[in-house]
Amino acid sequence: MINDDILDRLATQVIELPSWAFGNSGTRFKVFAQAGVPRNPREKIADAAKVNELTGLAPKVALQIPWDKVDDYASLRSYAEDFGVELGTVNSNTFQDDDYKFGSLTHWDPRIRQKAIDHHFDCIDVMDATGSRDLKIWLADGTNYPGQDDIRARQDRLADSLQQIYARIGDDQRLVLEYKFFEPAFYHMDVPDWGTAYTQVLALGDKAHVCLDTGHHAPGTNIEFIVAQLLRLGRLGSFDFNSRFYADDDLIVGSADPFQLFRILYEVVRGDGFGPDSGVAFMLDQCHNIEKKIPGQIRSVLNVQEMTARALLVDRDALATAQAAGDVLGAHEIFNDAFYTDVRPALADWREKRGLPANPMKAYAASGYQEQIEADRVGGEQAGWGA
Amino acid sequence: MINDDILDRLATQVIELPSWAFGNSGTRFKVFAQAGVPRNPREKIADAAKVNELTGLAPKVALQIPWDKVDDYASLRSYAEDFGVELGTVNSNTFQDDDYKFGSLTHWDPRIRQKAIDHHFDCIDVMDATGSRDLKIWLADGTNYPGQDDIRARQDRLADSLQQIYARIGDDQRLVLEYKFFEPAFYHMDVPDWGTAYTQVLALGDKAHVCLDTGHHAPGTNIEFIVAQLLRLGRLGSFDFNSRFYADDDLIVGSADPFQLFRILYEVVRGDGFGPDSGVAFMLDQCHNIEKKIPGQIRSVLNVQEMTARALLVDRDALATAQAAGDVLGAHEIFNDAFYTDVRPALADWREKRGLPANPMKAYAASGYQEQIEADRVGGEQAGWGA
Amino acid sequence: MINDDILDRLATQVIELPSWAFGNSGTRFKVFAQAGVPRNPREKIADAAKVNELTGLAPKVALQIPWDKVDDYASLRSYAEDFGVELGTVNSNTFQDDDYKFGSLTHWDPRIRQKAIDHHFDCIDVMDATGSRDLKIWLADGTNYPGQDDIRARQDRLADSLQQIYARIGDDQRLVLEYKFFEPAFYHMDVPDWGTAYTQVLALGDKAHVCLDTGHHAPGTNIEFIVAQLLRLGRLGSFDFNSRFYADDDLIVGSADPFQLFRILYEVVRGDGFGPDSGVAFMLDQCHNIEKKIPGQIRSVLNVQEMTARALLVDRDALATAQAAGDVLGAHEIFNDAFYTDVRPALADWREKRGLPANPMKAYAASGYQEQIEADRVGGEQAGWGA
Amino acid sequence: MINDDILDRLATQVIELPSWAFGNSGTRFKVFAQAGVPRNPREKIADAAKVNELTGLAPKVALQIPWDKVDDYASLRSYAEDFGVELGTVNSNTFQDDDYKFGSLTHWDPRIRQKAIDHHFDCIDVMDATGSRDLKIWLADGTNYPGQDDIRARQDRLADSLQQIYARIGDDQRLVLEYKFFEPAFYHMDVPDWGTAYTQVLALGDKAHVCLDTGHHAPGTNIEFIVAQLLRLGRLGSFDFNSRFYADDDLIVGSADPFQLFRILYEVVRGDGFGPDSGVAFMLDQCHNIEKKIPGQIRSVLNVQEMTARALLVDRDALATAQAAGDVLGAHEIFNDAFYTDVRPALADWREKRGLPANPMKAYAASGYQEQIEADRVGGEQAGWGA
C-alpha cells in the first residue's frame, strides 16, 4: 500500500491557504455572518496557522490586496513566522472598486487602466516586503452584452498592461495569470480559458505562468488534460483548488467529484508537478458560506493530501504495460485500484509519527479554539468579501 | 406583414415590472451603485410608471416582501394608480435572513419552518390589501454538500409547508411556485426543475401554478418544450423573463439568445398562453448591474413586444401543411420567416397611433427624467438587494 | 465495517444485463468489430450467463425486440433457464426502421403511429411468452429543427399511443417509460426529462412507471434528487445504469463519476428502492465500444455491487443526528466515510463463501471462455446495433 | 441599409461545400437513406455545382480521403471545372479503420502511427494533383476511460507526427488542425480545444493554422471570442460551419442560434478575416440526416451570406463611439440594429442582378434536378459515412 517513499514525498507537500477563506463569504443573495470570524489580517493568519498546526500541511498564507493591506508588511511577516507560517502568493484585486465597472487592465480609459497597473505595482512592493514569490492576477474583466465593447481591442490592451506589470517583476518573482470561464462578466470574460492565459504569458517571458482554478471551466471540460498540457508546456504556475457542481461554487476541494481530483493529481505526479522543485504552487481558493471556516480548511487540506497519496499509489509500471498492450479494462483497473484504496489509516499514522493529531477534525473540535475566537472576536468589523 | 389583427392582439399585452429591477444589484463580487436609484417603494413605482408611460406595455409592478414593505398598502396602491400602474404579483423572500441559512419551507427546525410559513401569510395579507392576484414563491432552499441534509425529507416538509400556505390563498388568488436549477444552494436545490414544481402544485389544487424563469435551466435545456408542456397541463402560471449566457445571469430578456425567446413566445401563442384570458402572467425578473435601470427595463419590454409580434406573425396554416408533409426545410423556413421579419417599423407606427413615442429609448433620453432623479435622489439609502 | 446484515442484503441484489451489450457497438463514426461476438440471442444469453456465473449478480437478461426476435420464445426461455438466468425486461425499438424517420408513437401519420403501437403489442406478446414483467419504452422521437413539427400535438399523440399500449398490459406487467435529454433528435426530444415521463405515466395508471437512465440528463443535473423524487412519488420503475462524461456515452457504470453513483445508490437505499420488494429494476444499458464485452459487463456489475455496499454502509443514525444539528461538515464526513471505505476485500470474501471466484475479472481471464468463443464464433453475422 | 460597398464585399464570398454533405448520414442509432444520393465523387461534385449555380456562393468542393478517392485526380479536377467549381480543402480520415481503434497520430504503436502519417502523405499527393491549398486534419483520437492511456505521451507523439506531415507541406500549402471538445472519444480527446490546436500548430511553423468548427465546444463557450483571439494570433485557418443545440449535432449553420452566428461573423469582419486576402476558409461541415441534401446545402450557404451581410451592416464608427463612452445599452443596440435588419430582399436583388434566381430554394424545387437524380441514381452503392 503506502510505502515509506510515498510517505516521504507526502512530507514535502505544501498547501497555501487563502486569507479570505477565514472571512465571511456568500452568494449574491446573502452573506451569512459567522461568530469568531477574523477582523484583520493578523487574526486570519492566526486561524491559518491553526490549520497548519493540526495538519502539518499548510505552512503558507496567501494574501489579497487590498483586503490584507497593512501599514507594516515586515511586521506582518514576523507575526506570521512566529506562528510558524510564511506569507505566500500576493493576489491583486481589481474587482471591488467602482472605477472597474467596465474593466481594469483591459479598460478603454487610459486613466483607469493605469490605476489598475499601479495597483499591481503596489502588489509587487508588498511582495518585496513579504518575500512572496508569486503575483497572482485574476481579472473580473469582461462584458455583459454583445457589442458592449471591442473584444479584440481589450485583448490587446490586456497584453500591454501585463507587459508593464511584468517589467517590474523581480528575478526571483513570478507573474501568474488565472483564467475563468464565466462570471462576474456574463457575455465574455477577457481571460476565459487556458489558451488565452497561455498566449498572454507566453508573450511576457519565462517568469510568467498560468494559474488553474479547478472551478473555472465549462461543464464537461477534462481538467486533468489541461494540467498535463500546461505541465508539458512548462507553464503551470499554480492551482487554485476548490470544487463545484455547477458554477464557481467554491466548495471544499474534492467534495463534488473526488475522482476528478484524483485524476488531476495523478497528472500532476505524472508530469513532475509535485514536489518542492516543481514550481507548481498548491493553493486553496474556496468559500465556506455555511460551514465553519477553520474546520472547512482542515477538511480541504486533508482532502488534497489523501488524494495526493492515492495519486502516488498508482502502479505506473503496471499501468504503462497495460496501456501499451491496449488493455483498456486492465489499465483502467490499475488506475482505479489506487483511487479505491483507503489511505486514511496510513495518513493517521503518518501524522502521529510527526507529533500531529491522528484526526485533525476531532482535534480542532476538542481544542477549544473555536470557542475562544467566538468569545474574543466581538466588536470590530468582520473580514469578508470586500473587507 | 403585421396586420391589424396582430396589432390588436399586441395591444392586450401586459408585462409586469419587478420593483427590484430599479434598485442596485450586482454579483457576489461587487454591487455597483448608480446615481438616481430609488430609495423606497414609491420611487420604484414612479420609475416603473415611467417605463409604462413611454411604452404602453408595463402597467403592473411586482412587489417583493420585505423589500417593499410599507405601513399602508392601500396608500401605496393609490399612489401607483395615480401613476397609471397597478400593483401586481407579490413575491415572498426567505433568503435574506440568517435564520434561513439551512432552508425555509424545507427546514428541519419547526420554528424556522413556521417562521417561513408565517412570512407567506403576511404576503397574502399584503395581496389582500394591494389587490394582487398572485403569490409567487421562489425558494433559495437546498444544500451545499452531499449528506448535509435529507433530500427526501425536505421534499415532504416542503409539501406540508405549501399546503398550509395554500390553505390561506383566496378564491381569486393563486400560488405560483418557481423552480431553479442551481444557486444559491450548490449541491441540490429543493425545487430544481419544472417536474418538481409541477408535482408540488398538483398536490395543492387548481389555484397552484408553476412559474417558469427563463434563466433557471440546465445548459442545453429546450425551454419552449417546457412552456408547451405546462400549458398542456394547464399549470403555466407566469414567466420570469430574463436572459443568460451561462448561469442565472439575469440579463435583459432576449439579449443572449433572441431566437430562443422567439421559440418560447411561439409556444405561448400556440398553446393559448397569450392574451388577457390566458392566466399566464408575463413578468421581468432581471438585474441591470452595469447598464442604467430605467432604459434597461424599456429595452426589455420592447424586446418582449417585438418578439411576441414575430411569434404572432408565424403563418400557422402554412406551417401545419408543411409539418404534415414531412417537409422539414419548408416548415423550418416558414417558422423562420417570421423571426427574420423586421417588425420594428410597424411597432413604431403602432406606438405613434396610441400617442406613445415612436422610439421609447430616445424619448427617455430626451425626457430629462434621468437627470431629474439623479439630482433629486440624493441622501437616504438606495434600494438594492436586501434593501 | 461491512456486517452480516449488509452482506445478506447484498445477496438479494439482481442486476439485469442487456443482451445488446454483448454485440458490437460504436459511435456514428465507427463500429469496431470484436472477435467472438454473439451472432444470435442464444449466444448473447450464454455470455450473460457467464457474467452471472462469475459474479452471482446478474441472473436476468433484458431483451430488445426486434434485435432478439426468435420464432420460439418458450424455447429461448428454457435455454436461458438451463444457463441459470431468466429473461427480463422487454425493450421495444422504434428507431431503426425508415418509417420512423419523423417519429413513432408521436408521428403525425396515423399509419406509422399504428405501426409503432402494433410493435408494442408484439412486445407484450413476447413478454407473455417469456414471463417478463416489464415493457420498457425508450423513444428516439423528436425533431431536429425549430418549426419542423408541432411539439404539443406530438405530446398529445404520445399520450394517446401510450394509452392504447397500456390497455394491453397484463395485471402482473408494467409499462416503464424512459426519458432522454438529447439525441438522436437534436432540437427537441418528445420525452426529454423525468417530468414529462412522470406526467405521461401518471395519466396511464398504477402499472406505469419511469425508467431513469443515468446518462440521459443535462450537464450538472442532480440525478440523485430525481431518484429521491421518483421514489417519493412511487414511480421509479427501473434504472438503466451506465456512465458518461459528456453525452450519452454509455460507458461502464461508475467509471466516470463514482461518487455520483454512490449518491444515487444512497438515495435508492434511503427511499426503500433497494431489495426484492421495491419494484425497482436495476439494469445496465451500456456499450463496450473498445473494451471487451464480457469483462466489461463483469466490471460493471461489480461496480454496482461495490457502490451498493458503500451506500448500505452509511451510518444513517449518526447522519440524521448531524443533519438535525446543522452540522454541515460532520454530516458530510459521515456520508463520505462510507464512500471512502474499501469494500473490495469484504466482497471478495462474500464471493468465496458463496462458491464464487474472489476476483471475477481474473477468473474470467483464466477461464478460457474468451478464447473459446473467439474460436467458435466464426462466420455468420455478428450481433450489433441493428443486428 | 445594405449599400453597394457591402454588396461588392459580399460578391467576394466563397463557401466550400463538403462532398460528404451530399451522401447519407445519421446518428449511431440509424442512417436514413435518401433517394438520389450520389454514388461516387463525380455525382457529389455535380450536386455541389448545383448549389453554386443557384446561389453563386459555393464555387469550391472539399474532399475527404479515402471517401473521395479516385484513380485520376487531374481528371476529377477537370470534371469539377467543367461544372464551374474547384476542388478545395483535402480532409484526411483516420477514424474509419480498425487499426485506429486506440488512436492514429497519437498511437503508442509505431506501425499504426506510421500508417496514419503515411495517409497524410497520400493526402498531400492528392492536394498536389487537385491544386488544393489546405490539408485539414481532424482527429478522432482520444480515450474512453481514465487510465486507458498516457495523455501526455499522446500529446508528444502527436507533435512528432504533425512535424513529419508538416515537413511535406508545400510552399503554397497549409496544414490546418481542427479541435473538438468531445466525441467519438469520451473521456479525453487529444485535441479538445483551441489552446491545444494552437500550441501544436505554433510548434510547426507559419503554414500551420487552426480550424474552428462551430459545433466543437463545451456548452456556454463564447465562440466569437475564440475567433477574435485566433485572428489576433494570426492562426485562424478555416471555419467548419454548422450548428448544434447540444453536442456535435451538425445541423444547418445558423439554425440553432442565429445571433451566435452573427456575433461570430462580426468578429470575422472586425478582425479582417473576411475577404479573399484573409486566408480564412469558410467551409460547411454538416449532416442532413432527415432533410434533403441539396436544398439543405442551399439553405446553409444562404444563411452564411445573410448573416455576413448583417455583420457588414454594423455601424462600426457609431459602435466605437458608444463603446468608448461606456454606453452599454447604446452599443448593444447599435450592434443589434444590424442583426434585426431584414437583409433578405436586398440579397434577392443582388442575386437577380447577377443572373441568379431571386429565391434559390424555390428555384431548386422548380428545377426538376431532384426528380432527375432520384430517377437516375438507382443501383450502385450510395455515398455515406464510410462510403
Side-chain angles (χ1 to χ4, degrees), chain D residues 17 34 104 167 169 173 213 215 221 273 302 358 382 386:
Chain D
L17 303 186
Q34 294 193 9
S104 63
I169 289 286
Q173 294 175 339
D213 183 300
T221 300
L302 294 177
Q382 290 192 315

Short mmCIF file of all heavy atoms in Angstrom, two decimals, chain D residues 17 34 104 167 169 173 213 215 221 273 302 358 382 386:
data_model
loop_
_atom_site.label_atom_id
_atom_site.label_comp_id
_atom_site.label_asym_id
_atom_site.label_seq_id
_atom_site.Cartn_x
_atom_site.Cartn_y
_atom_site.Cartn_z
N LEU D 17 -18.17 23.66 -50.00
CA LEU D 17 -19.13 22.63 -49.60
C LEU D 17 -18.39 21.32 -49.36
O LEU D 17 -17.48 20.97 -50.11
CB LEU D 17 -20.17 22.42 -50.71
CG LEU D 17 -20.95 23.66 -51.14
CD1 LEU D 17 -22.03 23.26 -52.13
CD2 LEU D 17 -21.56 24.37 -49.95
N GLN D 34 -31.58 8.23 -48.47
CA GLN D 34 -32.42 9.12 -49.28
C GLN D 34 -32.29 8.77 -50.74
O GLN D 34 -31.21 8.37 -51.20
CB GLN D 34 -32.03 10.59 -49.05
CG GLN D 34 -32.30 11.08 -47.64
CD GLN D 34 -32.21 12.60 -47.52
OE1 GLN D 34 -32.11 13.30 -48.52
NE2 GLN D 34 -32.27 13.09 -46.29
N SER D 104 -4.52 7.37 -33.84
CA SER D 104 -3.84 7.36 -35.14
C SER D 104 -2.51 8.10 -35.00
O SER D 104 -1.50 7.46 -34.70
CB SER D 104 -4.75 7.96 -36.21
OG SER D 104 -5.04 9.32 -35.94
N ALA D 167 6.43 18.67 -42.61
CA ALA D 167 7.65 18.74 -43.43
C ALA D 167 7.36 18.48 -44.90
O ALA D 167 8.15 18.87 -45.78
CB ALA D 167 8.68 17.72 -42.91
N ILE D 169 4.50 19.52 -46.40
CA ILE D 169 3.58 20.55 -46.90
C ILE D 169 4.33 21.50 -47.83
O ILE D 169 5.41 21.98 -47.50
CB ILE D 169 2.99 21.33 -45.69
CG1 ILE D 169 2.01 20.47 -44.91
CG2 ILE D 169 2.34 22.64 -46.13
CD1 ILE D 169 0.68 20.26 -45.57
N GLN D 173 1.03 25.53 -49.65
CA GLN D 173 0.03 24.72 -48.98
C GLN D 173 0.01 25.03 -47.48
O GLN D 173 0.94 25.65 -46.95
CB GLN D 173 0.31 23.23 -49.21
CG GLN D 173 0.14 22.84 -50.67
CD GLN D 173 0.54 21.39 -50.95
OE1 GLN D 173 1.29 20.79 -50.18
NE2 GLN D 173 0.04 20.85 -52.03
N ASP D 213 -14.40 24.56 -35.80
CA ASP D 213 -15.70 24.00 -36.14
C ASP D 213 -16.69 24.55 -35.11
O ASP D 213 -16.50 24.36 -33.90
CB ASP D 213 -15.63 22.47 -36.08
CG ASP D 213 -16.94 21.80 -36.50
OD1 ASP D 213 -17.97 22.06 -35.85
OD2 ASP D 213 -16.94 21.03 -37.45
N GLY D 215 -19.37 23.67 -34.02
CA GLY D 215 -20.07 22.73 -33.14
C GLY D 215 -19.18 22.03 -32.13
O GLY D 215 -19.65 21.16 -31.41
N THR D 221 -19.61 28.07 -24.18
CA THR D 221 -18.38 28.69 -24.67
C THR D 221 -18.70 29.88 -25.57
O THR D 221 -19.57 29.80 -26.43
CB THR D 221 -17.56 27.65 -25.46
OG1 THR D 221 -17.24 26.56 -24.60
CG2 THR D 221 -16.28 28.26 -26.01
N GLY D 273 -10.94 39.00 -41.10
CA GLY D 273 -10.95 37.59 -41.51
C GLY D 273 -11.85 37.34 -42.70
O GLY D 273 -11.96 36.20 -43.16
N LEU D 302 -26.99 30.24 -47.95
CA LEU D 302 -27.77 31.47 -47.83
C LEU D 302 -27.72 32.01 -46.40
O LEU D 302 -27.60 33.23 -46.19
CB LEU D 302 -29.23 31.23 -48.24
CG LEU D 302 -29.47 30.88 -49.71
CD1 LEU D 302 -30.95 30.58 -49.96
CD2 LEU D 302 -28.99 32.00 -50.64
N ALA D 358 -33.84 34.74 -57.72
CA ALA D 358 -34.11 35.54 -56.52
C ALA D 358 -34.26 34.63 -55.31
O ALA D 358 -33.77 34.93 -54.22
CB ALA D 358 -35.37 36.38 -56.73
N GLN D 382 -24.85 3.90 -52.49
CA GLN D 382 -24.94 5.31 -52.14
C GLN D 382 -23.75 5.72 -51.31
O GLN D 382 -23.25 4.97 -50.48
CB GLN D 382 -26.21 5.55 -51.31
CG GLN D 382 -27.50 5.41 -52.10
CD GLN D 382 -28.67 5.93 -51.30
OE1 GLN D 382 -28.79 5.64 -50.12
NE2 GLN D 382 -29.53 6.70 -51.94
N GLY D 386 -18.35 6.61 -44.43
CA GLY D 386 -17.59 5.39 -44.64
C GLY D 386 -17.60 4.93 -46.08
O GLY D 386 -16.83 4.06 -46.46
#
